[in-house]
Amino acid sequence: MKIILISLWLVGFGSCTNVPRTPPVLIWGISLPDARSIFQVIKSNHFTSLLRSLLKEHMLIVYFEPALTSKDLSCMECFTYLRGVQPRTYYSQVQDPILSVELLFAEREEEMIWNRKRTMLTLTCRTNSIHVYNFRDSNLTTHDDFMEAVASNLENCPVIHLYTAHAEQTKALQRRLQRENDIMKLGKPTTTTTTTTTTSKKPKMGDSDVREHVPRNRSAEDPPIVVLRHPKGILSLDKIVFAEEIPKGLNVYYKRIHIYPSGKSSLSLQLRDKANILKGVNFIIDTSLGPLKIKLAPVVGCWRIPKLIFQNTTFIPRDLLFYGKRFSFCCHAVTAYSSQGARLTLYSLSMDVVLVDTISAMDPDYMPRACWHCEEYLTPGITQAIFTVSILLSLLGLGLTMFLEMGRNMRMPNINDPEPHLKVASER
């Protein structure tokens, strides 16, 4: 049985690939117990319960800085205000603080809204409320001045402030270095220009706009990601590749065509029920070769991507693509196949659906929700393979156990049984 348990443990351990993200967190406005050491990791569930208990009698303000590190907090000249506030508590490693904040919003059945600068400076004191703000730059001195201005406006209020990052900075640095290396290899300039289109009137339902989008001319100097906006959703992607199957005898060839959004009004949304967005959404991208429809169907509290429609042809993904409605969808590459053998691939695809009427994705301060990465979840093929391997390993372990136990008497002798008869050779 030990072999069976070890085999199942190895299978389970091999499928665990999530590495905890542990950015630093600075808390002031209340006295909290310090961590036992700088190496202690505060678990996400413990941090959530801590914030939940504090919210009963306090107001919570959370500041997120995408590139904050423990080294940044040791800057003597950057944080004049933070170094003078008392009481304050510093945790060097907290597992997914942004997930804890999102969970608190979900428990209260509220939408997590990223506040604007003007809203933060005019907050009113209200206990048992949460406010979040995202810094868009890495100017630590400006952050310190802004947090001081917000705190001075709530001077006589029982408020708790948190200053942290979205995720672990090591991963951000690795991604940044990788981008710089890719730019150096391709010979691209380090700065790019973007154009934004604005209108004086408020966008209506059904209107769309393109933000941070430069018309693509297949030049290596163009920005790699195209961001498309709509009042009820936002979508970004790198490129779309349409591969048409061309059979020639026994061989099969593919004719690949790069597709790009057509221009200013490239994104629209189609609702299955106009009164309730939760019943189904279709993202429609107006491309150079016609509209591309991405269907989102609601399934048990999640969005599922069952099919894509392009040039009156239905493309179905082979993997089960889904994500929670409290998240945005992020995937390195989504590939769907038609019954004729053609395939459609969307690279660096990100989608976010706005479910609250008071929020518009056209707002430049709108922050998409946390990513649900398709690469980090098991596909049906991998799940079946793991299940099959676990059964085979269990049978192998059972067989080895039975083989090793052969010849051993596992029964205990009974005291009432007669003594065994021993035949003694007669003496001559």
Side-chain angles (χ1 to χ4, degrees), residues 32-33 42 128 130 140 144 162 181 183 202 239 244 247 253 261 265 285 291 294 321 324 344 361 415:
L32 297 174
I42 308 298
N128 197 20
I130 313 174
L140 303 180
D144 186 73
L162 269 74
N181 291 336
I183 291 174
K202 184 178 179 180
K239 60 183 177 181
E244 183 179 3
Y253 300 92
S265 300
I285 306 174
I294 305 174
L321 301 177
L344 191 67
I415 193 172

Side-chain angles (χ1 to χ4, degrees), residues 6-39:
I6 293 174
S7 302
L8 293 176
W9 180 83
L10 288 174
V11 173
F13 180 78
S15 62
C16 296
T17 58
N18 293 330
V19 180
R21 298 173 292 179
T22 54
V25 175
L26 183 66
I27 307 173
W28 67 96
I30 192 172
S31 180
L32 297 174
D34 295 327
R36 293 191 299 268
S37 68
I38 61 173
F39 303 105

Side-chain angles (χ1 to χ4, degrees), residues 85-143:
V85 295
Q86 290 293 338
R88 68 171 183 263
T89 307
Y90 172 68
Y91 296 129
S92 60
Q93 298 183 76
V94 176
Q95 181 184 13
D96 272 331
I98 189 171
L99 184 61
S100 300
V101 176
E102 289 175 343
L103 183 59
L104 292 176
F105 275 101
E107 292 175 352
R108 302 154 65 94
E109 296 183 354
E110 298 178 1
E111 183 73 13
M112 182 173 171
I113 303 175
W114 298 88
N115 289 341
R116 296 185 179 184
K117 184 177 182 180
R118 182 179 300 178
T119 306
M120 293 294 295
L121 295 174
T122 56
L123 290 176
T124 56
C125 183
R126 186 164 59 92
T127 58
N128 197 20
S129 63
I130 313 174
H131 301 273
V132 291
Y133 182 79
N134 182 68
F135 290 108
R136 292 182 172 273
D137 54 36
S138 299
N139 192 333
L140 303 180
T141 305
T142 304
H143 300 177

Side-chain angles (χ1 to χ4, degrees), residues 255-273:
K255 178 183 178 182
R256 290 177 174 82
I257 303 174
H258 287 255
I259 307 169
Y260 303 97
S262 59
K264 181 178 179 181
S265 300
S266 298
L267 180 66
S268 59
L269 257 69
Q270 186 181 68
L271 305 182
R272 183 177 180 181
D273 185 355

Side-chain angles (χ1 to χ4, degrees), residues 372-402:
W372 181 297
H373 296 281
C374 66
E375 294 90 349
E376 295 184 3
Y377 293 87
L378 298 178
T379 63
I382 296 178
T383 306
Q384 293 174 8
I386 292 177
F387 183 72
T388 304
V389 170
S390 63
I391 292 178
L392 293 177
L393 290 178
S394 301
L395 294 176
L396 177 61
L398 180 62
L400 289 175
T401 303
M402 296 176 63

